[in-house]
Every structure is written in structure tokens, then in C-alpha cells.
Amino acid sequence: MSHLGYPRLMPFDRDHVLRTAAALLTRKSTATMDEVAKAAGISRATLHRHFAGRDALVRALEALGIAECEGALERARLDEGPATEGVRRLVREIEPAAGLLAFLYSENQLFEGDGQNAGWERIDARVTALFRRGQDAGEFRIDLSPAWLTEALYGLLAAGAWSVLDGKVARNDFTFMIAELLLGGALRREES
Amino acid sequence: MSHLGYPRLMPFDRDHVLRTAAALLTRKSTATMDEVAKAAGISRATLHRHFAGRDALVRALEALGIAECEGALERARLDEGPATEGVRRLVREIEPAAGLLAFLYSENQLFEGDGQNAGWERIDARVTALFRRGQDAGEFRIDLSPAWLTEALYGLLAAGAWSVLDGKVARNDFTFMIAELLLGGALRREES
DNA sequence: CCGCTGTGAGACATTCATGTCTCATCTGGG
DNA sequence: CCCAGATGAGACATGAATGTCTCACAGCGG
């Protein structure tokens, strides 16, 4: 597996580099530019040719995360049908990006003070609106604010992603666990 | 507020330093030793006299977090009464340490590979046992594993702590929000 | 065949946090 | 009063990551 015999010159694949970096930084948020480059199979020089520095790389990852989120929001069609099903679709669609989001979730603590990226605000607004719609429709309880439900969703996504990475839970259970806990909670229902 | 007129020599207060460091690192996880020292009102030299380095400081914070957790576990008396009330008591008791735990929660991603501190394993075991007891008693649903409920609790505690820091939710709602979401979920109940 | 473009490898300077050290000063006890 | 202990301030060396640069070479098109 180490070398395939062709240490040839690879053309630069921006998307591949970003996704590899996301996967690495999710596991090791302090990885150096050199480690990122090696993980992506390119040289540090090339990495630096395309991303001015670590900040630029993280910002590109943030943009990727925002794009993935907005794609998931579109595919989940949050405006259609019951809000409950919208939440389930959202969790399902966002699952592939959960690792990247978990990294950004812990990294974004640094962005306080300089006004966070407008992209996150738009995403927040759409998710919050979903929970508010569910409350107005009588599906969701009204004693938990939409803002908190949104933050709780993020926290559960990150917890789920890390739990999968640590092998504490099975990847196949990811969507079910998060959606079920967020929607129904831990308490057993009295079945009708 | 800047100077009280007495820039005198302060005796070293280990607990005060640790708690100040925890508060700072919760907001800015990359704070330098110099920033930690200034925040605690001591010189970098003194800080380094008592903590061999950043690793030692983080480890001391980890030990503090473990101690706070175990204290909360004791006070919550998880073995008494319904597991549901045990969860509520645990969240209430652990609230003062939530910021520190949120920091350690994101920092502990680094500890992978070298075998994490045995203290966390003990805490994990006690919390997991609480959820399992609730399942056995018929209080909690059985299609969500105790391990996931434990991880979800950590994730919600971190999300709650960061939300309070960001001013997105009120500090007074912390315990209620976390316990209610974890136990009951977002769905509205059919009241009897 | 030749030249252009982009890459890999590595050298190099710079920056920054860290860790160690010295020295002056303050505090408290004998 | 004087000495021991501990702190604050700052200088200094170290190491790591970063950012910049050069050079050789592979691919690709004319």
C-alpha cells in the first residue's frame, strides 16, 4: 500500500485536498501544514501555492462546510411537510459533512469578536425557522427556544461525529440516534 | 477598575489560577501561557514555576474537571430515586463546571492514541450506568444505547456552555434546557 | 523536438510560544 | 534588624511552524 510504483506528478485537485484536510483536521485539529500536505499526497510548497496560509486553508474549509450545509438544507426541503420530517431529512443529508462540521464547530470559537461569517448566520436562520415552524404547527414544544434547539442540533451532530470517530457508536446509527434523541428525547413513550 | 492602587505581591493561589485559566481557555482555546498568566494576575515566571509547561497546565485542568465531575456525581446521588431525576440532578450539579468541561471536551480530541485518563472512564461508566438503570426500570427508551446517551449529554453540556458564552441563551435556562431536551426531546407531548 | 507550466524537494529566514535563567523586590519569620 | 522564601520583570536560548525562495524535472501542447 505504501507506494504504487508511480510517484508521478499529480495535478492539483482542490476538492480532494480540502476533503483530505477536513478528514485529518477532524481527527487532529492541530495538524501542521506539512501533515495536511502529506495527507493530501502533495508537497507543502504546492499546498502553500493554493492556500496562502493556514488561515486561508481553514477559511476555505469553512466555505466548504457552509456550502455542504446549504446543499443539505436544499435537499432536505425544510419547507415541505411536517417539521419533524424536515429535521430527520436534514440530519440525514448533513451526515456526510458531520466530521467537517464538528471540526469547524470547535474551531469557530476563535472567530468570536470579528463578526462571524455571514454564511453561518443564514444557515442558523433557516434551521431556527424550521424549529419555529414546528412550534407554530404544534409539533414541537414551545418551552425550548428555537435558538437552543438549533444549538443543540449542532452539539449533537458534533457529539455524534466524534463518537463515530472514537468507535463508541456505529456509523450506521448516526442519523437515527441524533434525530431520535433531538426529537423524542431519552424518555420512553407510553405507546398507544 | 484597571488598578486598585496596590500592585503588591500576591501569594500563589493554585485554585484561583486554574479556574481563571479554565475560564480563559474555554473562550480562547489557543491562549498562550502569557495570556493565562496575565488573566490570573500573576507573572509568566510564577505560572511556569507551578506548572512545568502547557501540557502540565492542561493536565491539571483535566484533573480539576475530573474532580468537579466526580463531585457532581456524588452530589447528584445517581443511585437514588428515578433515573430521570438523577439526570436532572446531575445536570444541575455539573452546571458550574460546564465551561471547563466544554474546553476539555474539545481538547481531549488530542488525547487519542495514548490511552485517555482513567478518570474519564470511571465517570463515563457511572453516567452510562445511570442511563442503563433508567432503561432497565422502563423510564428510558431502549433503542438509544447508554453509550450514545452519555455522549449526547456531553455534547449538550458543551453546546449549552458555548451558547451561554455567546449570549445565545440565558444562563438561568442552562439546566432546564439541557435536561429537558435530553430527557423529553423537542416533540410536544400529548398532555393527559 | 522544444518550450511553457506546474509540481516536488529542499534550503532559508522569520515569527512565535515555550522553557530557563538572573536579578531586584516584597513579605514574613526569627 | 536581618535573612529566607517567593514573586515580578525581563533577558535569553530553543524549537516548531510558517512563509518565501530556488532549482530540477515531469507533463503537455505546439
Side-chain angles (χ1 to χ4, degrees):
Chain A
M1 183 92 82
S2 56
H3 69 88
L4 302 180
Y6 290 93
R8 67 173 75 225
L9 219 54
M10 293 297 290
F12 180 79
D13 182 343
R14 179 185 172 92
D15 191 72
H16 170 254
V17 171
L18 281 178
R19 291 184 187 285
T20 306
L24 173 61
L25 289 171
T26 298
R27 297 190 304 269
K28 187 173 190 294
S29 60
T30 60
T32 68
M33 295 290 278
D34 197 60
E35 291 173 297
V36 171
K38 278 188 172 55
I42 63 177
S43 71
R44 194 168 70 93
T46 299
L47 179 62
H48 209 277
R49 281 189 190 100
H50 293 271
F51 301 100
R54 190 193 180 77
D55 290 348
L57 178 63
V58 173
R59 242 179 284 215
L61 285 172
E62 188 181 28
L64 177 63
I66 290 173
E68 300 260 352
C69 271
E70 294 192 323
L73 286 170
E74 290 301 325
R75 292 190 298 276
R77 306 185 311 283
L78 298 189
D79 292 333
E80 301 179 16
T84 302
E85 293 309 313
V87 170
R88 288 206 171 89
R89 288 195 300 269
L90 176 59
V91 174
R92 173 154 32 89
E93 294 294 337
I94 219 170
E95 192 248 323
L100 172 59
L101 295 183
F103 161 68
L104 295 172
Y105 183 65
S106 60
E107 194 79 359
N108 273 356
Q109 305 304 326
L110 304 177
F111 286 81
E112 295 174 11
D114 63 344
Q116 69 174 358
N117 195 306
W120 294 121
E121 295 178 14
R122 287 208 312 266
I123 293 168
D124 271 24
R126 293 175 72 173
V127 177
T128 304
L130 170 66
F131 286 119
R132 184 169 290 113
R133 180 168 80 84
Q135 286 183 337
D136 293 344
E139 295 177 73
F140 297 158
R141 52 200 291 190
I142 60 173
D143 56 346
L144 295 176
S145 71
W148 164 238
L149 292 174
T150 302
E151 293 297 319
L153 171 59
Y154 297 157
L156 288 177
L157 284 170
W162 282 325
S163 297
V164 169
L165 279 176
D166 289 354
K168 291 181 179 174
V169 302
R171 181 174 296 274
N172 285 343
D173 296 340
F174 182 90
T175 299
F176 175 82
M177 292 185 319
I178 291 175
E180 283 303 311
L181 181 60
L182 179 64
L183 292 172
L187 287 181
R188 182 177 177 187
R189 303 301 188 99
E190 296 301 328
E191 303 297 340
S192 61
Chain B
M1 183 89 82
S2 56
H3 68 88
L4 301 179
Y6 290 91
R8 66 175 75 225
L9 222 56
M10 293 297 293
F12 179 78
D13 181 342
R14 179 184 172 96
D15 191 71
H16 167 69
V17 171
L18 282 178
R19 292 184 188 284
T20 305
L24 174 61
L25 290 171
T26 298
R27 296 190 305 269
K28 189 175 189 293
S29 61
T30 59
T32 67
M33 295 290 277
D34 197 59
E35 292 173 296
V36 171
K38 278 187 172 54
I42 63 176
S43 71
R44 195 168 69 96
T46 300
L47 179 61
H48 207 275
R49 281 189 189 100
H50 293 271
F51 302 99
R54 190 193 179 77
D55 289 349
L57 178 62
V58 172
R59 242 181 285 218
L61 284 172
E62 188 180 29
L64 177 62
I66 290 174
E68 299 261 351
C69 271
E70 294 192 323
L73 287 170
E74 290 302 324
R75 291 191 299 276
R77 307 183 311 282
L78 297 190
D79 292 333
E80 301 179 16
T84 302
E85 294 309 313
V87 170
R88 289 206 171 89
R89 288 194 300 271
L90 176 59
V91 174
R92 173 153 32 89
E93 295 295 336
I94 218 170
E95 192 248 322
L100 172 59
L101 295 183
F103 162 67
L104 295 172
Y105 182 65
S106 60
E107 195 79 358
N108 273 357
Q109 307 303 326
L110 304 175
F111 285 79
E112 295 173 12
D114 63 345
Q116 70 175 358
N117 194 307
W120 295 122
E121 294 178 14
R122 286 209 313 267
I123 292 168
D124 271 23
R126 292 174 72 173
V127 176
T128 302
L130 170 66
F131 287 117
R132 184 170 290 112
R133 180 169 77 84
Q135 286 183 338
D136 293 343
E139 294 177 73
F140 297 158
R141 53 199 291 189
I142 59 173
D143 56 347
L144 296 177
S145 72
W148 163 239
L149 292 174
T150 301
E151 292 297 319
L153 171 59
Y154 297 157
L156 289 176
L157 284 170
W162 281 324
S163 297
V164 169
L165 279 176
D166 288 354
K168 291 181 180 174
V169 302
R171 181 174 297 273
N172 285 343
D173 297 339
F174 182 90
T175 299
F176 175 82
M177 292 184 320
I178 291 174
E180 283 302 311
L181 182 61
L182 178 64
L183 292 172
L187 287 182
R188 183 178 177 184
R189 303 301 185 102
E190 296 302 327
E191 303 294 341
S192 61

